[in-house]
Amino acid sequence: MDLYRAIRNSQLIGMSGYSKEGLPVIAVGVGLSTYDKASDKYYIQSHIQLNEYRDQVILPTATRKHGRYIGTCVKVLDMTGLKFSALNQLRLLTAISTIDDLNYPEKTDTYYIVNVPYVFSACWKVVKPLLQERTRRKIQVLQGCGKEELLKVNIKHYFQGPIFSSHNITNAICIEFACWFSD
């Protein structure tokens, strides 16, 4: 349990609410995630478990809640705190991106990338060519925190307090190996 708790605390990800279409919004604290508590194998395993949890629990719950089929989600990738040292984790992040690209290509409707620091461009140059075109078309890099654009798709709960703060997850409900935010 200690290993999985350490992985969860160093891989910040959670559900922060729903879009106006009823799609679950998954927030990922890319910049504050350290991925330094276990080997890449365990982070990849955790990522796959999170994807399966989304498919088997989150999406069916959204379907029941909204009274219509919900088969995709929206992801907000927060780059706050991203540093050049993140390039050390590029192999792991590339593996995770490849897994999503090959095994879960139609599960994410849109990726919103927010709070992009200068170092992001160096990381993006390496990762972008590895993604399938169908995935690249879904990615929107927003100015600053992206508040204006996110409010257009009714992702306002993202701005109702800190989601990721100094490696602490707020409003979290931890279920087995996944940590999802309550709405």
Side-chain angles (χ1 to χ4, degrees):
M1 274 316 261
D2 290 340
L3 174 64
Y4 286 105
R5 182 169 284 110
I7 291 170
R8 186 175 59 236
N9 289 337
S10 61
Q11 180 183 22
L12 305 179
I13 184 169
M15 187 179 147
S16 66
Y18 296 93
S19 70
K20 69 179 177 184
E21 295 86 16
L23 303 180
V25 177
I26 310 246
V28 183
V30 177
L32 293 177
S33 293
T34 58
Y35 303 103
D36 62 352
K37 304 299 181 200
S39 69
D40 288 359
K41 174 181 88 169
Y42 287 106
Y43 283 104
I44 290 168
Q45 178 185 9
S46 174
H47 184 76
I48 292 168
Q49 289 170 336
L50 290 167
N51 281 338
E52 293 300 319
Y53 184 81
R54 176 202 58 212
D55 295 350
Q56 295 173 24
V57 177
I58 302 267
L59 295 175
T61 299
T63 295
R64 286 189 302 277
K65 178 177 180 155
H66 297 285
R68 66 178 180 80
Y69 176 72
I70 304 286
T72 62
C73 68
V74 172
K75 290 186 179 176
V76 178
L77 308 176
D78 189 342
M79 300 295 159
T80 297
L82 189 70
K83 298 179 179 139
F84 276 110
S85 60
L87 292 172
N88 295 333
Q89 301 301 332
L90 209 49
R91 186 184 65 193
L92 171 62
L93 298 176
T94 301
I96 287 172
S97 297
T98 302
I99 287 167
D100 284 354
D101 212 22
L102 296 175
N103 298 292
Y104 305 98
E106 301 306 321
K107 291 297 184 176
T108 301
D109 188 61
T110 308
Y111 296 88
Y112 295 104
I113 301 177
V114 299
N115 299 315
V116 177
Y118 176 75
V119 68
F120 174 77
S121 61
C123 297
W124 186 236
K125 284 179 185 176
V126 174
V127 173
K128 186 177 179 181
L130 302 173
L131 300 173
Q132 297 290 326
E133 179 60 29
R134 67 177 177 242
T135 301
R136 284 195 302 262
R137 284 192 306 265
K138 296 177 183 184
I139 297 171
Q140 294 184 32
V141 180
L142 305 179
Q143 293 279 328
C145 66
K147 186 172 185 175
E148 190 173 307
E149 292 88 351
L150 293 175
L151 288 174
K152 287 178 188 174
V153 291
N154 201 27
I155 302 178
K156 60 183 174 220
H157 49 276
Y158 188 74
F159 303 101
Q160 295 174 345
I163 301 249
F164 305 110
S165 173
S166 302
H167 295 90
N168 293 321
I169 300 174
T170 61
N171 301 324
I173 299 173
C174 296
I175 303 170
E176 296 178 310
F177 305 119
C179 194
W180 300 98
F181 294 92
S182 60
D183 63 356

